[in-house]
Amino acid sequence: MIGIVDYGIGNIHAFSRVFKILGMPHTFLSDAKDFEDKISKIILPGVGAFDHAMQTLNNSGLRDKLDEFVLERELPTLGVCVGFQIFCKSSQEGSESGLGWISEEVVRLDDSKLDDYMPLPHMGWNNIEVMNENDLISGIDTEEGFYFLHSYQVTSSEESIIARSHYGGTITSIYNHKNLYGIQPHPEKSHSNGVRFLKNFGDL
């Protein structure tokens, strides 16, 4: 059973629609007791600013259960966009502490490397370059890529980067460290590639 964290950040129903199409059992995690419903994987969505996401999550009553299921039980956990960024300890975007699940940094995309026709936020479709093979990107059309909407990114060591993209500099697009997976673009907005990506996560 895939648990989609419902903490008021991110379009959880878009993920639900994809999993309904795929016929994959899933549920929303909006209360601590929901975690006991045979959850085997977790998706942490996110949109907007880092501080707002962390404040909302900390006020949701879900933080302790998330730490238990992610860090102690080591369930495969996917962070999406800001949901991926808050895996880190902190971000240049704000002052709140992140979840601290990974030791990577969240930094602003470097304006000095962007041409005049490349605004921030980085918004729209971009392809991906595979750095390390992983079941998560099986069957993905790398040239079609994914839909992005962000001004900040998680910087990562090369061994943790499944795929990267280019927008001025390089962007960590898809990430893996142990049971933690991250995707900077939005699979729920990325048509057939997004559907395949979420299926791959569900099949891990």
Side-chain angles (χ1 to χ4, degrees):
M1 177 82 74
I2 300 167
I4 304 168
V5 183
D6 177 11
Y7 67 115
I9 301 288
N11 188 358
I12 59 173
H13 297 288
F15 289 95
S16 179
R17 284 193 292 271
V18 172
F19 288 125
K20 284 178 181 177
I21 291 170
L22 293 170
M24 288 185 159
H26 62 283
T27 188
F28 296 130
L29 305 174
S30 56
D31 188 277
K33 67 179 184 298
D34 296 334
F35 282 77
E36 305 303 332
D37 191 20
K38 298 182 180 178
I39 299 300
S40 59
K41 296 180 181 71
I42 294 171
I43 292 180
L44 182 61
V47 296
F50 185 96
D51 278 6
H52 178 60
M54 278 309 306
Q55 290 163 1
T56 305
L57 181 58
N58 286 333
N59 291 332
S60 70
L62 302 175
R63 176 71 184 272
D64 289 344
K65 278 295 182 182
L66 274 173
D67 284 340
E68 175 190 341
F69 275 67
V70 174
L71 300 180
E72 297 176 24
R73 303 195 188 191
E74 298 185 337
L75 266 62
T77 300
L78 173 68
V80 177
C81 195
V82 176
F84 170 33
Q85 293 177 11
I86 63 175
F87 281 10
C88 301
K89 293 181 179 180
S90 61
S91 171
Q92 289 182 352
E93 186 180 15
S95 58
E96 291 286 334
S97 296
L99 291 164
W101 293 344
I102 59 177
S103 59
E104 317 293 0
E105 293 183 284
V106 181
V107 300
R108 182 175 170 84
L109 300 184
D110 189 349
D111 300 67
S112 68
K113 295 182 179 179
L114 300 177
D115 293 327
D116 291 341
Y117 64 89
M118 302 170 72
L120 283 181
H122 170 213
M123 179 171 63
W125 288 83
N126 200 342
N127 59 12
I128 63 169
E129 176 188 1
V130 176
M131 302 297 292
N132 293 291
E133 291 295 337
N134 190 288
D135 289 341
L136 204 54
I137 53 171
S138 173
I140 295 295
D141 182 340
T142 59
E143 287 303 311
E144 178 180 336
F146 293 89
Y147 182 85
F148 289 75
L149 178 56
H150 67 117
S151 298
Y152 292 80
Q153 69 139 334
V154 176
T155 62
S156 310
S157 53
E158 287 192 7
E159 61 268 22
S160 298
I161 301 175
I162 297 174
R164 66 184 182 182
S165 299
H166 298 273
Y167 193 73
T170 58
I171 297 166
T172 301
S173 299
I174 304 173
Y175 171 96
N176 172 226
H177 177 68
K178 298 181 179 179
N179 61 310
L180 293 166
Y181 299 84
I183 181 166
Q184 182 58 61
H186 288 273
E188 78 280 14
K189 297 180 180 180
S190 297
H191 302 166
S192 58
N193 263 357
V195 172
R196 180 58 186 254
F197 180 88
L198 292 173
K199 180 182 187 302
N200 290 343
F201 177 71
D203 286 339
L204 288 177

